[in-house]
Amino acid sequence: MRIGELAARAGTTTRTLRYYESRGLLPARRAVNGYREYGEEDLRLLRQIRTLQDFGFGLEETRPFVDCLRAGHPAGDACPASLAVYRRKLAELDELIGQLTDVRQQVARQLASAELAAEAEAPGGPEPRCELTG
């Protein structure tokens, strides 16, 4: 298939495919007439890259998965290098979750403190709540 068809089937643009080619992630095979030619295996590579990017992996982090597929493994995550990237990404996500949990707790404490202060400042106690607005 040609580049336009591959881009359409992969849900991306020809510009993106050329960029992946320049980065060595997508093989650059040319027909006699100079047109780029791609096969189903290239579509599989692109789907792997897109899935990983949807999960938050950077383009370079997808390289071990692409290399694993190119090595003939049916899944791009069956190789040791791919597993190492998964482990690093999980550790990174765990760290981010920890940071977000800390921030959430701080914001919750600030909110509780602000609500108490607002109630204390309100003349006659807290304002009546409107049932229509919550």
Side-chain angles (χ1 to χ4, degrees), residues 1-3 6 14 16-31 34-47 49 63 65-67 69-71:
M1 79 186 86
R2 299 213 345 232
I3 193 168
L6 179 63
T14 57
T16 298
L17 298 184
R18 288 186 198 101
Y19 178 70
Y20 290 171
E21 181 182 313
S22 74
R23 301 295 305 223
L25 292 169
L26 191 61
R29 291 183 303 276
R30 301 268 181 174
Y35 291 139
R36 290 173 173 87
E37 286 189 335
Y38 300 98
E40 291 298 318
E41 68 279 358
D42 299 313
L43 181 59
R44 206 168 93 213
L45 290 176
L46 286 172
R47 287 184 175 149
I49 291 169
R63 188 172 300 280
F65 298 87
V66 169
D67 292 343
L69 285 170
R70 282 189 186 153

Side-chain angles (χ1 to χ4, degrees), residues 41-105:
E41 68 279 358
D42 299 313
L43 181 59
R44 206 168 93 213
L45 290 176
L46 286 172
R47 287 184 175 149
Q48 179 81 56
I49 291 169
R50 300 281 306 223
T51 297
L52 292 168
Q53 286 188 310
D54 288 347
F55 290 163
F57 287 72
L59 189 57
E60 275 308 306
E61 289 176 308
T62 69
R63 188 172 300 280
F65 298 87
V66 169
D67 292 343
C68 190
L69 285 170
R70 282 189 186 153
H73 295 275
D77 56 4
C79 297
S82 302
L83 296 172
V85 172
Y86 272 153
R87 287 185 191 101
R88 280 194 306 271
K89 184 56 78 174
L90 276 177
E92 179 184 314
L93 291 170
D94 288 341
E95 176 67 25
L96 288 172
I97 289 168
Q99 290 172 2
L100 288 172
T101 299
D102 291 344
V103 169
R104 187 191 186 291
Q105 289 171 348

